[in-house]
Amino acid sequence: MNQKGGVGKTTTTLSLAHALALSGRRVTALDMDPQGHLGKGLGLNGEAEQGLDEVLLDGVPLEDNVLEVRERLRLVPAGERLAEVEMVAQGGASRGFRLNEALQGKMDSEDFIFIDCPPSAGLLSMNALFAVEEVVVPVSSDYLALHGVSRFMMILQHIEQALNRQMKVWIALTRYQERRRLARDVRATLAEYFPGRVLATPVRESAALAECPGHGKTIFEYQRGGNGAADYRQLADDLATARTV
Ligand SMILES: Nc1ncnc2c1ncn2[C@@H]1O[C@H](COP(=O)(O)OP(=O)(O)OP(=O)(O)O)[C@@H](O)[C@H]1O
Ligand SMILES: [Mg+2]
């Protein structure tokens, strides 16, 4: 999750989910973004007309909308009407807990469940936050990204207080350009402000990562020997073993 757009949320969700599935874990990815990019990145082309929209709007069970997309990797697509969730007026505070409720007692056989969030702080994002134990915040390595992340961490703290429970929050550096001093500075600053929270491996800027969604392939199918695949394989390992800077 990150309210800022284009920081690599979907790329990170997709790549971590597939990396962990390839390493033998059972993984389900939920697409909480009405843009439906997660499904597109996996090669789905509009055939997934229903998904989380039915679950959150009509109370359809989650397992009715699970697609097997790769070995050990399942997807619950966004569905065409997911944006309507932001406009649900009735239900008061319970509107934020619909995903949490839909997940109760479900998916217990999964090792990891990932939720790709939209670049906004509305009801969809709230539903995701109220359903999870851990939050991964992808941060692109530039100055404005740094500003956004401090605000977001404060919002998270308020939510933790309201829910009266702690979440594990991880920062993942994306679109990292090693040769730029700014990128190295951003990484150092984040490590200083959020000790033990910044996952060890920065994901480098790589053309293949930008290209692969256009082919409906994950980076491990598109260019498994390249930097993008190597970085996300490592980052998946960082997440699984809590390895930080
Ligand atoms: N490490 C990288 N190197 C090069 N391109 C990248 C990298 N990570 C992501 N991209 C590209 O940057 C763009 C934005 O990435 P992505 O869609 O993952 O961001 P997002 O945060 O999910 O965006 P949104 O806020 O719209 O949901 C995409 O075109 C993606 O392919
Ligand atoms: Mg996205």
Side-chain angles (χ1 to χ4, degrees):
M1 175 178 284
N2 189 333
Q3 289 154 269
K4 191 161 157 46
V7 294
K9 293 182 288 295
T10 303
T11 308
T12 300
T13 308
L14 201 52
S15 307
L16 290 181
H18 200 200
L20 289 162
L22 288 169
S23 75
R25 274 79 157 214
R26 295 190 49 84
V27 184
T28 297
L30 312 185
D31 193 351
M32 277 293 262
D33 186 348
Q35 296 180 100
H37 286 169
L38 205 55
K40 294 200 179 76
L42 285 159
L44 263 65
N45 275 315
E47 61 255 47
E49 282 164 8
Q50 300 103 44
L52 281 170
D53 57 350
E54 285 197 332
V55 176
L56 300 175
L57 293 167
D58 312 328
V60 170
L62 198 65
E63 59 270 29
D64 289 4
N65 283 300
V66 176
L67 305 175
E68 301 275 344
V69 285
R70 300 291 190 275
E71 199 176 358
R72 287 181 298 274
L73 178 58
R74 309 189 307 164
L75 169 75
V76 184
E80 281 185 326
R81 297 186 294 137
L82 188 61
E84 292 173 27
V85 173
E86 298 287 16
M87 292 167 259
V88 171
Q90 70 276 50
S94 76
R95 290 174 304 167
F97 289 92
R98 289 189 178 186
L99 182 64
N100 184 309
E101 279 157 21
L103 280 164
Q104 287 308 315
K106 307 286 164 62
M107 309 255 163
D108 289 348
S109 60
E110 300 303 280
D111 296 307
F112 289 89
I113 301 170
F114 283 92
I115 307 176
D116 187 27
C117 291
S120 59
L123 264 179
L124 286 165
S125 293
M126 287 304 124
N127 268 275
L129 274 182
F130 293 170
V132 299
E133 290 155 8
E134 304 187 30
V135 183
V136 178
V137 186
V139 178
S140 58
S141 313
D142 56 83
Y143 174 74
L144 288 175
L146 200 57
H147 181 76
V149 85
S150 335
R151 269 192 45 209
F152 182 64
M153 295 301 242
M154 267 161 46
I155 296 172
L156 271 180
Q157 270 185 0
H158 289 304
I159 290 174
E160 284 184 325
Q161 279 162 12
L163 293 176
N164 194 23
R165 66 179 173 88
Q166 296 261 292
M167 286 184 261
K168 263 192 209 154
V169 183
W170 307 108
I171 293 171
L173 276 155
T174 59
R175 313 205 66 159
Y176 190 74
Q177 292 178 295
E178 266 166 320
R179 287 191 310 271
R180 285 203 183 164
R181 207 180 83 195
L182 177 61
R184 298 195 301 270
D185 286 351
V186 166
R187 186 165 187 243
T189 306
L190 286 170
E192 188 188 331
Y193 281 101
F194 308 107
R197 298 283 127 231
V198 183
L199 293 170
T201 309
V203 177
R204 287 166 284 185
E205 179 82 20
S206 99
L209 276 171
E211 288 159 13
C212 60
H215 300 265
K217 291 179 175 171
T218 73
I219 192 63
F220 307 105
E221 297 159 338
Y222 186 70
Q223 197 188 77
R224 56 192 292 257
N227 286 345
D231 291 350
Y232 272 116
R233 226 177 263 125
Q234 283 264 344
L235 189 69
D237 210 49
D238 294 346
L239 184 67
T241 61
R243 186 171 53 217
T244 58
V245 174

